[in-house]
Each structure stands twice: as structure tokens, then as C-alpha cells.
Amino acid sequence: MNAPASSHRPFVARRLDWLRENLFSTPLNALITLVTLALLLWLGSRFVSWALLHAVWGRADVATCNALFGQGACWAVVADKWRHMLFGIYPQDEQWRSALAVVIFCGIMVFSAMRAFWHVWRLLALWLSGSLLCAWLLAGGLGLTPVPTALWGGLPITLMLAVFGTLFAFPLGILLALGRRSALPIIRAASIIYIELVRGVPLITVLFMASIMFALFLPEGVSFDKLLRAQVAIILFNAAYIAEIVRAGLQALPRGQYEAADALGLGYWQTQLLVILPQALKITIPAQVNSFIDNFKDTSLVIIVSIFDFLYAVRQAVISDLDWRHYFVEGYLFAMAVYWLFCYAMSHYSQWLEKHLSRDHRL
Amino acid sequence: MDHPAAHVIPANAEEIIRIEGLNKWFGDFQVLRNISLSVRRGERIVICGPSGSGKSTLIRCLNRLETHQSGTVIVDGIKLNDSLKNIEAVRNDIGMVFQHFNLFPHLTVLENCTLAPIWVKKQPRATAEATAMKFLERVRITDQAHKYPGQLSGGQQQRVAIARALCMAPRIMLFDEPTSALDPEMVKEVLETMVSLAREGMTMLCVTHEMGFARAVADRVIFMDQGEIVEQAPPEIFFSQAKSERTRQFLDQILDH
């Protein structure tokens, strides 16, 4: 092995070198380092003391928390309200359905992340069966008590908006990406206009339009479900971003791939489906995962049209209770932890994937 | 046009490619100038010339990878124009091998060879695979059939590319600088494959600077410069008694090394 000489030095010595070079290179840098360190330690110790040492854990009544208000965190609010936080105002007796839907949504994500499922038919089967199952569990019917969407809420909504918002945006995004590179001027123009229009507008505007403006254009008496409208808005919004990611993948392929397919006599759709897209999509997987993380976090914007996603449910669970209403910081920290758990897992996966794919001889 | 009788093709062999007054521009730049060329069935033609002389563009006009602006291209009786049906029919007749192989990296060697027969010719998978194995055997790649192109050497990849083209049972094979991207030690294996193909009577148009190959199998060598056909002659005449000064200069440059 001919690793650089420095790697033969002991670990501690290398670390000390690093510290000297990066944090203590000049007196000013040393000072800034020390001050920052002191600040971090002070804040950190305050947080640990509040969140862990003096906190109220497990089930406890409000009086216990009020006695410690400002000194220790009141995690009892989470212990008391967790069902309301996770599932919103979904009927208590039926909340097992919400919980099961969460499990299935997570299953869709986990299985989609596994290479064994990276075949068109397996993915379609997984996504279709998973989606239908979740829709049935949440909506009811066919033996389950129907629950109107106005009562849906919490984590299932967040997951649904993110997962459906990506799955259904995916085919649309691919078509838009192909359209943008089409030789037919009308299709190309339409794709460009759509993509640039949507990308030029914030999601919050699209949601607002879908929720309020859309109703103005419909004849009286006709209305679509509010949640459905928000979901469709998110799908249409994500499609534009997915289209641009797919387009980058298409552009990364050498012209020779198209020429070889042409020379063999493959038609346009055969070339795209058999030769181009399998390669282009694989290149874009890491970018798609990152865009999914964005979508996941962006779903919290549906709060603007009063849809009970997870974040809104957490807030409502705490605020709406006169006794517990002062403990929303604990509630938000709990929400943060849950979001972080999902996003951290996904970003970790995307890093692993990037390494894994770069070693793939099939690319 | 007077070119002495080729070695094995009967003088009355039917014409399979006819190009008349072909002109092509890339923007303001004219790549092909008034090209006329007739190729008979079974003829082996080597096209050479300095880079930018239009030789690749010329053969790419034959299967419509490039469109021409004026002139006529007729392949096997089919006129190449905007008709998708004609383009499809011509591409069915013509196999092409590229400088950079252009294998599909996400498919195995075998899948590369069966893709077009299955989807374009609608052959059953088993038939397509049997044909593919036959041609892979001819190019001596059978043991790599289930590997991906990225796992093969350049020479092996190019031989797979030849097999892939042959699987469509083409009547004409186009080679666009098939050995230029190869390491020197791999040129021979690809040329040997091409020679054996030539010996079987395949109509071939090869853009190449491999003059040994031209001497061994070509019926006619064509020299192009600045978008024009400057000279064409059987190899024994082309290499020793070229008429044009430009041809002689070019041959001096490439044969000296």
C-alpha cells in the first residue's frame, strides 16, 4: 500500500495537526475558536439541563410541569398528546388504521430504496398496491367505517402528500422532460412553458390557488375535496422539478446511445423506454432522493390551506388545550425530532446510494 | 465510371446503393459536395481521407443518422427522404458499427444483441438469443455473453457491436472508424472479424485509416477531401498509381508512420 505518509502517524498526532492548522492558525482565529467553543458549551449545557436533567418525563399532570416551567422541559405534553399529534382529529377508535397507513407508507419508501425492487413491474406493483391499501385504510369503506378527509390528519397526511406527491409526479415529470427535448415544436413549447411557469411560483402560491382560487372557476355546487386539491397541486408542482432532474439525466447520456438505437431501427418510444430512460433515471437517483427530502419537508406548507398535516396536528394538539397550551416548544421539538428522523435516514441513504452507484459497471 | 473488375463480385451484380448529387451543410459549412457514388451488392469499399473531409457524414447519410439537403440517396431500391417508413426500411437493411462502440451499458452483451431483434423484428426471445449466440460465437465472445459492456475490453466491445449489428441480418454494413478508439493491441482482433465478414460477401462501407485492411479486402478505395470524392480506385491501383496530388500527399502522410 502506498498511502500518503501522514496516515502512518498516530491518530492523535494527526488530529492535533488538524486543530493547529484549522482552528488555531493565528491568535485571532484561536480567540474566535475559544469564544465560539465557550458559547456552544454554555448553550449546550443549558439545553441539556432543560431538556434532559430537569425535564418532566413520562405521564404527569400539568401541575407538575407548571411547577418547573422555564427550568425543565415538560415531555409529559408529548406523553399526554401523542395520539392527537400523530393522527390529528382522526376518530380515536379508528386510529389503528392511521398507524397502519404510516407503516405502509414507510414500507413503500423502504422497499423503493432497495435495488431488488428496481424493476418497472415490481415498482409499479409495490406503489400501486401500497397506495390503494393506504387510501382504503384512511378513507374506509368496504367493511371499514368511512372517515371523511376533513378528519384525516397528522403523520399519515404528511407521508401521503410526500409519497403520492412524488410517485404520481414521477411519470408526469418524465413526460415533461421528454417533451422538453422533443423535436416537435408544440410539445416542446408546452413542456417548457409548464416547467418554467411552475418553477417560477412558490409552492405556497400553488396550494393557495388550488384551495381557494380553483373553487371560483367551478360551477356552483361542484366541489372537489380540499385534501385532494392540495395533493394534486403538490403532484403538479413536483412534476416540474422532477422533469428538470430527469432532463439532466437525459443530457448526461452520450449521443451515441441515441444513434446506436436509431441505427438498429428502434422507434422513438422503444429508444426512450428501453435504452435512454433506464440509464438516465439511474443516474438521477441520488438527485431524486434529495428532491424527495425537499418534498417531504415542503408538505408542511399545507398548513396555509388548513390541512392537518403532522406539524399542524402537533401545534393544534398543544395549543387547543387550555391546560397544556404553554408547552408548544416541547411539541415543536417532538415534531422536529420526527422530521429529522425521516430526513436523516433519507439523506444517509442518498449518500450511500451515490457511493454504491458510482461503483456500478452498468453505468 | 471506369474501375477495373473487382476480385469476386460479378460485373453485373445489382446496384445496392446509389447516391447522386448529394450535398449537405452543417450551418454555413458544406460537409458534402456533390457526391455521387454507386455500390454494387457484395462490394467492399474503404473510405479514407483527412479528418473533416466528410467521410463519416457520408456513410451516416446512408441510414439517415444525418439528413441531406439535396441530392438522392437510394438504398436497396428505397429512396431516403422524410418518410419514416422508408427510413425504417433502410435501417432494417443496414447495420452500423461506431467508433465508440455505443453498446448499451445497462444491458448484458446478450441483451445488447437481442434488443432490436425482439422489439423491432418481433422475434421470439428464444430465436433472438439463438441468433445472438451464433454471432457472438463468430466474434468469439460467447463466454462473455452475460457480462456487461463495461466489463469488457475495447476490442471485445467492438466485436460485440459487430455481432449486435449482424443480429438484425443486415444486407449492408457500415463501419465508422471502428478501430480508431482502440488500443493498438486490440485493433487486430477487430480487423480480423471485419476481414472474415468481408470474405463472406457482405456489402461493406468502411471509414478507416487501416490501409492494410484496405489492401486485403477492399474492392475499391475512396479518398475524400473537403467534402468531395477526390479519387476512387481498386487498392492495387490506389496505393501505387494515385492520380491526384492530394491523394498522394495523404497516402505519404499516413503510410510513412
Side-chain angles (χ1 to χ4, degrees):
Chain A
M1 302 291 273
N2 46 0
S6 65
S7 70
H8 290 301
R9 303 191 51 214
F11 179 79
V12 177
R14 270 185 289 138
R15 282 297 127 117
L16 285 176
D17 282 350
W18 185 89
L19 283 178
R20 201 161 32 233
E21 278 164 33
N22 293 286
L23 299 179
F24 297 96
S25 52
T26 65
L28 181 66
N29 275 354
L31 185 70
I32 293 173
T33 301
L34 288 176
V35 169
T36 313
L37 202 65
L39 203 68
L40 280 176
L41 277 176
W42 180 69
L43 280 173
S45 67
R46 296 254 315 184
F47 181 76
V48 168
S49 141
W50 176 80
L52 302 176
L53 302 180
H54 296 99
V56 180
W57 294 92
R59 282 190 165 276
D61 54 23
V62 191
T64 323
C65 279
N66 285 345
L68 277 166
F69 190 76
Q71 295 163 41
C74 173
W75 299 119
V77 68
V78 177
D80 192 74
K81 299 277 178 202
W82 66 273
R83 286 182 73 152
H84 195 162
M85 288 174 171
L86 286 177
F87 305 125
I89 49 174
Y90 204 83
Q92 286 262 339
D93 292 343
E94 306 290 340
Q95 281 181 0
W96 62 271
R97 284 156 54 180
S98 295
L100 205 53
V102 167
V103 172
I104 293 169
F105 278 126
C106 291
I108 292 178
M109 292 193 280
V110 169
F111 285 119
S112 301
M114 287 162 51
R115 292 206 74 161
F117 275 86
W118 290 1
H119 299 276
V120 177
W121 294 115
R122 284 181 213 181
L123 280 180
L124 278 182
L126 170 74
W127 292 347
L128 217 63
S129 60
S131 306
L132 287 175
L133 206 58
C134 284
W136 173 59
L137 279 169
L138 289 173
L142 298 172
L144 292 176
T145 321
V147 177
T149 57
L151 298 181
W152 297 13
L155 200 52
I157 293 284
T158 293
L159 288 171
M160 181 188 84
L161 292 173
V163 171
F164 286 5
T166 298
L167 292 192
F168 291 97
F170 207 62
L172 188 58
I174 289 174
L175 287 178
L176 284 168
L178 292 178
R180 191 161 185 172
R181 288 169 60 88
S182 168
L184 307 170
I186 296 177
I187 293 181
R188 191 171 57 235
S191 306
I192 291 176
I193 290 172
Y194 179 90
I195 292 170
E196 295 308 328
L197 207 65
V198 171
R199 292 206 311 159
V201 173
L203 175 58
I204 214 158
T205 323
V206 178
L207 285 170
F208 202 68
M209 297 239 309
S211 173
I212 293 155
M213 305 252 305
F214 185 63
L216 301 178
F217 301 123
L218 286 177
E220 220 165 314
V222 178
S223 75
F224 287 107
D225 187 83
K226 186 170 74 175
L227 184 61
L228 184 66
R229 273 181 281 157
Q231 178 74 80
V232 170
I234 288 176
I235 289 170
L236 295 178
F237 185 80
N238 288 347
Y241 286 84
I242 289 176
E244 286 300 278
I245 295 175
V246 173
R247 190 166 71 100
L250 293 174
Q251 274 168 345
L253 291 193
R255 244 170 71 109
Q257 293 291 306
Y258 293 91
E259 289 179 352
D262 282 348
L264 285 168
L266 293 166
Y268 176 80
W269 287 108
Q270 288 174 336
T271 302
Q272 297 301 340
L273 293 173
L274 299 168
V275 176
I276 303 302
L277 285 174
Q279 298 182 62
L281 293 182
K282 209 171 252 185
I283 301 172
T284 61
I285 288 171
Q288 301 282 10
V289 175
N290 284 331
S291 124
F292 181 75
I293 297 175
D294 282 348
N295 298 345
F296 182 81
K297 288 185 289 193
D298 282 352
T299 56
S300 56
L301 291 174
V302 294
I303 199 167
I304 196 78
V305 291
S306 326
I307 287 172
F308 269 87
D309 79 316
F310 176 54
L311 192 64
Y312 196 27
V314 168
R315 180 188 141 89
Q316 285 303 107
V318 182
I319 301 273
S320 65
D321 191 316
L322 285 179
D323 291 337
W324 294 100
R325 57 183 305 170
H326 299 299
Y327 297 98
F328 56 86
V329 173
E330 285 83 346
Y332 279 140
L333 281 173
F334 170 67
M336 194 185 89
V338 173
Y339 273 105
W340 180 81
L341 207 65
F342 277 97
C343 294
Y344 180 76
M346 288 187 277
S347 87
H348 216 71
Y349 168 71
S350 115
Q351 279 168 31
W352 171 84
L353 197 61
E354 235 159 299
K355 250 184 254 157
H356 191 78
L357 286 178
S358 68
R359 284 196 305 257
D360 193 338
H361 55 254
R362 279 174 285 186
L363 280 174
Chain B
M1 213 184 300
D2 83 323
H3 47 81
H7 331 256
V8 281
I9 319 161
N12 60 350
E14 59 168 316
E15 185 181 61
I16 195 167
I17 296 172
R18 178 184 205 86
I19 302 173
E20 274 171 8
L22 179 67
N23 285 295
K24 176 169 177 62
W25 287 264
F26 285 131
D28 290 337
F29 178 66
Q30 187 167 9
V31 258
L32 295 177
R33 293 164 194 270
N34 197 28
I35 302 269
S36 290
L37 179 68
S38 163
V39 180
R40 284 172 301 149
R41 190 179 294 285
E43 220 180 338
R44 279 84 43 132
I45 291 179
V46 164
I47 304 170
C48 60
S51 65
S53 59
K55 48 199 194 307
S56 288
T57 311
L58 173 62
I59 65 166
R60 288 157 61 90
C61 282
L62 291 174
N63 62 351
R64 201 69 172 183
L65 289 186
E66 302 285 355
T67 54
H68 55 272
Q69 279 94 14
S70 75
T72 323
V73 179
I74 298 171
V75 178
D76 221 358
I78 305 158
K79 191 173 171 185
L80 270 175
N81 46 31
D82 287 335
S83 153
L84 287 177
K85 217 177 124 217
N86 286 5
I87 295 172
E88 197 182 315
V90 166
R91 283 177 178 167
N92 251 321
D93 260 3
I94 297 184
M96 187 161 191
V97 174
F98 300 87
Q99 180 178 1
H100 296 288
F101 330 137
N102 297 358
L103 292 176
F104 305 132
H106 62 300
L107 300 176
T108 63
V109 164
L110 187 61
E111 289 165 342
N112 263 280
C113 293
T114 56
L115 186 77
I118 289 173
W119 291 92
V120 179
K121 296 216 155 160
K122 313 291 178 205
Q123 288 177 7
R125 181 171 294 273
T127 315
E129 283 183 355
T131 314
M133 287 312 280
K134 191 182 85 190
F135 284 115
L136 286 173
E137 196 167 337
R138 267 202 48 184
V139 301
R140 303 188 318 280
I141 297 274
T142 32
D143 44 336
Q144 324 270 6
H146 295 286
K147 289 193 180 168
Y148 288 90
Q151 294 167 289
L152 305 186
S153 74
Q156 289 171 324
Q157 291 193 47
Q158 195 59 298
R159 285 186 280 145
V160 171
I162 294 172
R164 176 176 73 174
L166 292 175
C167 283
M168 290 296 279
R171 297 211 243 179
I172 303 163
M173 283 285 283
L174 307 177
F175 291 85
D176 188 0
E177 308 212 23
T179 56
S180 313
L182 295 176
D183 290 335
E185 72 269 23
M186 293 170 183
V187 170
K188 200 169 152 234
E189 63 188 63
V190 171
L191 286 180
E192 276 169 3
T193 310
M194 289 168 63
V195 168
S196 87
L197 199 59
R199 298 249 148 91
E200 284 164 31
M202 173 69 77
T203 310
M204 290 166 67
L205 281 85
C206 312
V207 172
T208 181
H209 291 156
E210 294 293 336
M211 290 303 134
F213 173 78
R215 279 206 175 90
V217 303
D219 298 304
R220 215 185 330 163
V221 183
I222 292 176
F223 173 68
M224 285 183 73
D225 192 19
Q226 294 175 355
E228 290 173 318
I229 293 184
V230 176
E231 183 146 11
Q232 46 181 323
E236 58 274 17
I237 294 172
F238 183 85
F239 289 110
S240 51
Q241 307 162 39
K243 290 191 208 101
S244 147
E245 177 57 32
R246 278 196 275 176
T247 314
R248 283 196 297 271
Q249 263 178 13
F250 175 74
L251 285 175
D252 273 353
Q253 279 164 0
I254 61 166
L255 293 179
D256 269 351
H257 298 291

